[in-house]
Amino acid sequence: AQRVTQPEKLLSVFKGAPVELKCNYSYSGSPELFWYVQYSRQRLQLLLRHISRESIKGFTADLNKGETSFHLKKPFAQEEDSAMYYCALSEGGRRALTFGSGTRLQVQP
Amino acid sequence: EAGVAQSPRYKIIEKRQSVAFWCNPISGHATLYWYQQILGQGPKLLIQFQNNGVVDDSQLPKDRFSAERLKGVDSTLKIQPAKLEDSAVYLCASSPAGSGANVLTFGAGSRLTVL
């Protein structure tokens, strides 16, 4: 069965510092990877997906099949980036997403 | 477009009682999901519908949980009887067919507390 691991429950950085939220997965096929974000008092929403290969709000994520990782990165953190971040995997087709346990990002002024 | 609607937002019940949650997905979205999110954990899939058929209910505790999606639109998730460990946020999500099939839009969730 597929599994998504986010090793850090909490990541605290200062404004302007680089951010890297780690995500590792276990799946033998070709997965589709996502990052979802939940800001305070808001709904869980899509941040980015690996097949889009785009930067959203300054965040990027590269799928590394050799290391089975999909880390989320941003060169300069902003206070408004503070939120819960969830990495998610789909086996493709009609299969639903499997989520990691989430990492809380706190960006301090 | 209107988002995914869920009700009630909050529910407190005693163990062994029953509860039902309702979800109205985004119009035209073929796929509907119910996820359970226990405090401190990520969302866990309970059941996935494609139109009004079940695609995956392998993690649904069928002795106490049931779900239906009548006419391929609204859905109801029921718990009977509830246990203390059912305390969680129940998230409904929907997604379209085609290339956006794995892009889920979530509702605000229904928070259940079982005493």
Side-chain angles (χ1 to χ4, degrees):
Chain A
Q2 69 278 20
R3 184 180 176 89
V4 178
T5 302
Q6 294 181 250
E8 303 141 327
K9 282 196 174 298
L10 172 66
L11 183 63
S12 184
V13 302
F14 286 103
K15 176 182 173 181
V19 169
E20 182 177 67
L21 299 170
K22 294 186 178 354
C23 173
N24 290 91
Y25 67 91
S26 61
Y27 177 59
S28 56
S30 295
E32 189 172 355
L33 275 295
F34 303 79
W35 278 98
Y36 277 76
V37 61
Q38 188 166 26
Y39 301 101
S40 179
R41 290 185 290 277
Q42 294 188 28
R43 303 179 182 198
L44 192 58
Q45 60 186 281
L46 177 69
L47 179 61
L48 56 81
R49 56 195 302 200
H50 88 271
I51 63 171
S52 298
R53 304 184 71 82
E54 54 188 350
S55 174
I56 305 293
K57 298 184 179 182
F59 285 97
T60 59
D62 290 319
L63 178 60
N64 185 322
K65 292 187 177 181
E67 296 183 357
T68 60
S69 68
F70 187 56
H71 303 328
L72 183 68
K73 300 178 183 179
K74 184 170 183 177
F76 308 103
Q78 303 299 314
E79 289 181 68
E80 55 265 30
D81 297 328
S82 296
M84 279 295 297
Y85 291 80
Y86 294 94
C87 182
L89 174 153
S90 171
E91 297 176 21
R94 298 189 305 169
R95 300 307 301 270
L97 298 183
T98 297
F99 285 86
S101 57
T103 299
R104 179 171 297 281
L105 175 64
Q106 285 182 349
V107 182
Q108 300 181 58
Chain B
E1 64 180 1
V4 175
Q6 290 189 246
S7 68
R9 289 294 313 280
Y10 304 93
K11 189 73 175 179
I12 301 174
I13 62 173
E14 296 188 349
K15 60 184 179 183
R16 291 187 290 273
Q17 288 187 322
S18 63
V19 63
F21 303 111
W22 171 83
C23 173
N24 180 239
I26 290 176
S27 178
H29 277 194
T31 309
L32 185 148
Y33 313 80
W34 284 102
Y35 280 86
Q36 179 192 56
Q37 186 171 21
I38 293 172
L39 187 65
Q41 300 181 19
K44 184 185 87 170
L45 180 71
L46 291 176
I47 189 166
Q48 175 187 356
F49 293 96
Q50 178 88 9
N51 297 311
N52 61 348
V54 176
V55 175
D56 184 355
D57 64 356
S58 58
Q59 299 186 90
L60 186 73
K62 298 181 185 64
D63 58 333
R64 299 182 300 105
F65 286 65
S66 64
E68 60 182 7
R69 189 182 185 195
L70 299 176
K71 301 180 181 179
V73 182
D74 293 6
S75 178
T76 302
L77 175 71
K78 296 180 181 178
I79 308 174
Q80 181 179 16
K83 292 185 175 181
L84 296 177
E85 58 260 37
D86 298 332
S87 294
V89 176
Y90 291 85
L91 295 168
C92 180
S94 67
S95 65
S99 61
N102 285 326
V103 178
L104 275 57
T105 301
F106 282 87
S110 294
R111 183 179 296 276
L112 173 66
T113 301
V114 182
L115 303 177

